[in-house]
Amino acid sequence: MQRVRPERPGDESAIAQVNEAAFGRPDEAQLVAALRAAASPFVSLVAEDADSALTGHILFSPVTVGDEERLSVVALAPMAVIPARQRSGVGTALVQHGLSACRAIGVGAIVVLGHADYYPRFGFAPASRFGLRCPYDAPDEAFMAIELIAGYLEGIEGTVAFHAAFADL
Ligand SMILES: CC(C)(COP(=O)(O)OP(=O)(O)OC[C@H]1O[C@@H](n2cnc3c(N)ncnc32)[C@H](O)[C@@H]1OP(=O)(O)O)[C@@H](O)C(=O)NCCC(=O)NCCS
């Protein structure tokens, strides 16, 4: 059985291990640690087995859009499921709980740079449709967004800036 819950003190090293196992390198685990120290909001959820072993992790951190200062937009990144548990619904549970957690704190929209055939099932669409530009050189369909508040991005246009911690990735 999978349970999704917010990260709590003491989870840090297990979260790092989940990210290292999923990505096969330490970079994303280091990014998570850097965001934990510096980002607000910092929405970090874990999936755990019945025996409390962590199987997955998802993180959301703030972004800015152009020179808009009144928006509450976050980026979904990184997201990781341990290889042995991939393709068994853990990632789906993490995204669904993550959207709810962001909605609960008043986030208006979420962006993600990732697999174009994974995130649309949760309602993500190309961010370009919302007037959002990716700060990185990426295919249009890989940079996606979802409004948690209907119409939140209407009339908005600009390049998204991720948290400074992403510069080290
Ligand atoms: C991507 C990831 C988080 C998905 O988690 P998951 O628990 O395996 O996903 P779920 O079981 O909820 O969903 C499985 C579905 O996702 C799809 N999927 C899984 N990994 C995928 C990938 N790398 N690219 C595209 N689709 C993928 C599967 O095709 C499956 O779709 P189906 O049910 O229609 O066959 C996980 O595979 C992972 O950690 N990968 C390595 C790290 C990574 O790439 N993170 C995301 C960065 S954007």
Side-chain angles (χ1 to χ4, degrees):
M1 196 192 77
Q2 286 300 304
R3 193 166 84 98
V4 176
R5 61 164 176 81
E7 167 185 330
R8 57 184 180 229
D11 286 335
E12 295 86 349
S13 68
I15 288 172
Q17 284 171 27
V18 167
N19 278 277
E20 286 205 39
F23 289 99
R25 59 179 198 174
D27 306 54
E28 286 75 13
Q30 289 164 3
L31 172 64
V32 170
L35 288 168
R36 184 182 289 115
S40 176
F42 175 79
V43 178
S44 176
L45 306 180
V46 297
E48 63 181 6
D49 270 336
D51 65 359
S52 296
L54 297 199
T55 55
H57 174 248
I58 193 167
L59 182 58
F60 301 84
S61 63
V63 299
T64 56
V65 181
D67 53 10
E68 296 281 348
E69 290 185 0
R70 63 200 164 83
L71 293 178
S72 176
V73 182
V74 299
L76 186 176
M79 168 179 176
V81 174
I82 59 170
R85 299 303 299 273
Q86 288 177 7
R87 301 192 177 222
S88 61
V90 178
T92 298
L94 283 166
V95 174
Q96 289 171 342
H97 281 79
L99 298 191
S100 298
C102 289
R103 194 176 282 116
I105 61 166
V107 168
I110 301 174
V111 296
V112 65
L113 177 60
H115 307 300
D117 46 2
Y118 185 65
Y119 295 100
R121 70 189 68 190
F122 306 107
F124 285 88
S128 56
R129 285 193 208 162
F130 298 100
L132 305 183
R133 287 185 292 276
C134 184
Y136 310 111
D137 188 18
D140 183 66
E141 66 275 13
F143 189 54
M144 294 163 270
I146 185 173
E147 289 178 330
L148 299 184
I149 298 171
Y152 193 74
L153 296 172
E154 250 168 49
I156 300 296
E157 206 199 320
T159 300
V160 171
F162 284 66
H163 191 281
F166 281 84
D168 297 330
L169 187 63

